[in-house]
Amino acid sequence: MNRHLLSSADLTRDDVRMLLATATEMHEVQRRHVKKLPTLRGRTIINLFFEDSTRTRSSFEIAGKWMSADTINITGKGSSASKGESLRDTVRTIDAMAVDALVIRHMASGAAHQVAQWVDASVVNAGDGTHEHPTQALLDAYTMEQRLGDLEGARVAIVGDLTHSRVFRSNAITLRTLGAHVTLVAPPTLMPSGIGPWAAAEGLETTDDLDAVLASGPDAVMMLRVQRERMSGGFFPTAREYTVGFGLTRDRLRALSDANEEAVICHPGPMNRGLEISADAADAARSLVLDQVSAGVAVRMSVLYHLLAGEGVAA
């Protein structure tokens, strides 16, 4: 059994179903007055984040503490990496302290896979560059299923800055693993280069016509953040033109409602209100944005449980 969670592609359908089932049980802890389990007592988890994060880092910290693990946060700016130490030396130093799990976010794609080769601790990929973010995909699937039921046959549109998004890659894989039909929507400049063969192999559709996709009545629409901090050059003329072409505006929200009144809206956050998503859409009754945040703790509790207390998450 694998002792790491590095990629959504490592998870079978049974693995995903197991993790989501455990997350349902863990979600009950959030409704208790005393939110504490003895599950990981005596275990030590290090959250090592080389990029800024609110939701992911906080939810991993809460998840560990609610299961009684000793949880420590280390940021890139607060580590020896800021003095020039290599990633290898940093993680091997931490690993030498006999920690049980290392949750890592890094700006380099593939960093988590490399770290897993260097340490004895279990490694959880909390986002590596523009590559993957497997626990985000799990919590997104969990949130959708809480509202829509089993995702087998569900139609999900993932819209926006696909080129710079690690979330879309993990979501596309996880949703297909669960049997959903996934359509990727982006302007040509933000559709990843060479995506065609991969999309075909994964059974994904690609298009640059958001209005046509919304008119088809998808069950869920996931809007992705425009990651301007990762952009160098003009991927679109102006913010206004991006919104006109690919934003979930008030008019598009109305069109989605007309096509499928049960459709839900997701966004992994943080949101650029007024750019990729309007306030009307973000705050709509069908918006699951805050449900996703809530689910993040339960899903990450489930992942840590299966890595450190139960069976591994993948064969």
Side-chain angles (χ1 to χ4, degrees):
M1 301 295 287
N2 197 327
R3 52 197 182 83
H4 309 299
L5 178 55
L6 305 176
S7 168
S8 295
D10 296 336
L11 301 177
T12 66
R13 183 183 177 89
D14 287 343
D15 291 327
V16 176
R17 291 257 60 97
M18 173 186 70
L19 287 166
L20 298 188
T22 303
T24 301
E25 299 177 22
M26 295 300 186
H27 216 162
E28 292 300 318
V29 176
Q30 292 176 245
R31 300 181 177 93
R32 297 180 184 180
H33 180 65
V34 177
K35 303 174 180 66
K36 202 76 168 179
L37 298 173
T39 315
L40 297 183
R41 181 180 296 146
R43 300 284 196 167
T44 302
I45 300 169
I46 303 293
N47 295 327
L48 180 58
F49 278 63
F50 289 91
E51 286 187 322
D52 295 338
S53 172
T54 298
R55 295 156 186 77
T56 303
R57 189 176 71 176
S58 297
S59 61
F60 266 114
E61 182 178 11
I62 293 171
K65 289 182 174 179
W66 281 1
M67 291 192 293
S68 302
D70 295 310
T71 306
I72 301 169
N73 288 333
I74 301 175
T75 64
K77 294 177 182 177
S79 73
S80 294
S82 63
K83 301 178 181 178
E85 185 174 62
S86 69
L87 175 62
R88 183 178 185 274
D89 285 336
T90 296
V91 298
R92 283 173 60 83
T93 296
I94 293 171
D95 191 54
M97 300 177 192
V99 303
D100 298 288
L102 186 60
V103 179
I104 182 166
R105 169 169 289 188
H106 199 276
M107 66 289 294
S109 298
H113 287 74
Q114 188 63 71
V115 168
Q117 305 302 311
W118 292 330
V119 301
D120 293 325
S122 292
V123 176
V124 180
N125 182 1
D128 58 333
T130 59
H131 181 227
E132 279 210 52
H133 194 351
T135 60
Q136 180 68 47
L138 288 168
L139 74 88
D140 291 338
Y142 175 89
T143 305
M144 291 181 205
E145 286 201 339
Q146 290 297 298
R147 183 70 68 92
L148 301 173
D150 195 318
L151 292 179
E152 180 72 42
R155 294 168 299 156
V156 182
I158 303 178
V159 184
D161 182 3
L162 303 183
T163 290
H164 303 100
S165 176
R166 53 192 169 217
V167 170
F168 115 76
R169 289 171 174 79
S170 289
N171 260 286
I173 294 168
T174 299
L175 290 169
R176 287 296 297 133
T177 298
L178 292 173
H181 299 290
V182 180
T183 301
L184 307 176
V185 188
T189 54
L190 290 174
M191 188 70 75
S193 176
I195 193 175
W198 179 76
E202 293 290 335
L204 309 171
E205 296 181 18
T206 61
T207 181
D208 61 357
D209 193 340
L210 176 57
D211 292 312
V213 170
L214 297 181
S216 71
D219 299 295
V221 177
M222 176 175 294
M223 304 305 297
L224 299 176
R225 181 172 66 89
V226 175
Q227 300 190 37
R228 287 177 285 193
E229 76 279 5
R230 296 184 187 274
M231 296 181 181
S232 57
F235 285 86
F236 47 86
T238 65
R240 174 62 181 164
E241 289 183 67
Y242 181 88
T243 302
V244 168
F246 295 91
L248 188 55
T249 60
R250 179 182 300 176
D251 289 342
R252 287 199 173 102
L253 177 63
R254 188 178 302 114
L256 176 63
S257 300
D258 291 342
N260 183 355
E261 62 182 13
E262 301 298 326
V264 297
I265 298 165
C266 298
H267 194 303
M271 296 183 289
N272 292 312
R273 286 177 180 254
L275 182 55
E276 74 266 359
I277 188 169
S278 66
D280 299 85
D283 300 328
R286 66 182 60 224
S287 170
L288 303 183
V289 173
L290 292 180
D291 298 80
Q292 290 171 268
V293 176
S294 177
V297 178
V299 165
R300 285 160 180 143
M301 288 176 73
S302 174
V303 168
L304 292 173
Y305 168 77
H306 283 287
L307 285 177
L308 300 181
E311 295 183 347
V313 297

